[in-house]
Amino acid sequence: MKLEKPVTGGPCWAELGTSDLERAKRFYTELFGWRPETDPRPESGGYTVARLGDAAVAALAPLYQQEQPVAWNVAFSVDDADEAAEAVGVAGGTVLLGPVDVHDAGRFTVALDPDGAAFQMWQPRAFAGAGLFNAPGALGWVELLTRVPERATDFYTTVFGWTVHPSADYTQWGVGDADFGGMVTMGDRFPHEVPAHWLPYFAVEDVDAMTSVATEAGGRVLMEPASVPDGPRIAVLKDPQGAVFGIYASGREEG
């Protein structure tokens, strides 16, 4: 993506909710070289920040509610979480949680878009979000998979003010001229039971080699490595607990 740091309206964080936190730590450390740091405060419930060097790049956390799925979640930065939550409702989405304060780090909201894709909103205070984008092991692209692309476009442009760059095959989202993600229409190749969702992509140096590492570490391949015409090489993987994520090695910056 063309963003180098969190900006208002853009993706600022990726967070895994998992049924086995310790195994997830081992899996992603083996893949990306992350250094996990678990918050020792009891009220943090095991929340773990993954770092590359000194930079926070993602989070891993246990499931906090019985109905919470094992999944990667994408957060978008907002200036005012309360106003953003109100905008979600007006635009046809649903607020599931919040806004709530997270210590002195920021203010947090979980929402669903009109097709049921979950996403998060983050009003930064002491913590702005990821300290590194686009480098190996760091977030580099986010993608919405939806069955109602026109409605999704109306919703997200209303809530976040994103720019939209459509083409015959793929729609890209941006903040101003800085594209950070895209949208895929879920057609017949997606089983009916697969819900609409946001998919984070992490940068790697070699997609094929990393796919092999993931399978040896207990993951699965959902989409074999493939090269996007005039774009990057990508693959979609599933971790041992069932969370789906993408990896890419850059050709150009768009996904």
Side-chain angles (χ1 to χ4, degrees):
M1 66 178 142
K2 295 179 179 177
L3 299 176
E4 297 296 332
K5 62 181 180 180
V7 300
T8 300
C12 63
W13 196 235
E15 180 181 294
L16 172 68
T18 182
S19 56
D20 190 335
L21 181 59
E22 293 306 315
R23 189 173 184 192
K25 289 180 189 178
R26 294 192 298 271
F27 177 80
Y28 289 100
T29 295
E30 187 167 350
L31 258 63
F32 299 137
W34 287 351
R35 175 168 54 85
E37 295 182 351
T38 300
D39 190 327
R41 292 173 291 188
E43 62 270 26
S44 295
Y47 194 84
T48 299
V49 172
R51 295 185 181 274
L52 286 171
D54 293 330
V57 293
L60 303 91
L63 302 179
Y64 295 122
Q65 299 177 349
Q66 185 174 359
E67 65 274 16
Q68 182 182 349
V70 172
W72 275 100
N73 300 283
V74 176
F76 300 95
S77 184
V78 296
D79 288 331
D80 188 309
D82 296 84
E83 289 183 2
E86 184 175 351
V88 164
V90 171
T94 304
V95 174
L96 295 181
L97 174 67
V100 294
D101 291 324
V102 181
H103 306 302
D104 63 345
R107 195 157 169 78
F108 173 72
T109 309
V110 180
L112 299 177
D113 73 12
D115 196 27
F119 65 97
Q120 301 174 351
M121 297 184 291
W122 180 253
Q123 178 187 334
R125 290 173 179 158
F127 181 71
L132 185 67
F133 286 149
N134 306 316
L139 185 67
W141 194 254
V142 297
E143 193 171 77
L144 174 67
L145 290 87
T146 181
R147 292 180 173 86
V148 290
E150 296 85 1
R151 193 174 184 191
T153 298
D154 289 342
F155 174 80
Y156 287 103
T157 54
T158 298
V159 173
F160 295 114
W162 291 347
T163 54
V164 181
H165 298 141
S167 69
D169 302 315
Y170 195 71
T171 295
Q172 293 188 174
W173 309 110
V175 176
D177 292 328
D179 288 349
F180 61 77
M183 178 169 61
V184 171
T185 300
M186 300 175 72
D188 294 339
R189 65 190 178 96
F190 290 90
H192 178 74
E193 62 270 17
V194 177
H197 60 281
W198 279 94
L199 181 69
Y201 278 80
F202 298 96
V204 297
E205 293 183 352
D206 186 319
V207 167
D208 298 76
M210 191 61 67
T211 299
S212 295
V213 172
T215 55
E216 291 170 4
R220 290 176 51 203
V221 180
L222 296 185
M223 188 184 80
E224 294 286 347
S227 295
V228 176
D230 299 320
R233 191 159 178 79
I234 64 175
V236 178
L237 309 174
K238 180 180 282 192
D239 74 17
Q241 284 68 56
V244 179
F245 62 101
I247 56 174
Y248 77 98
S250 61
R252 62 178 186 177
E253 290 189 0
E254 290 82 4

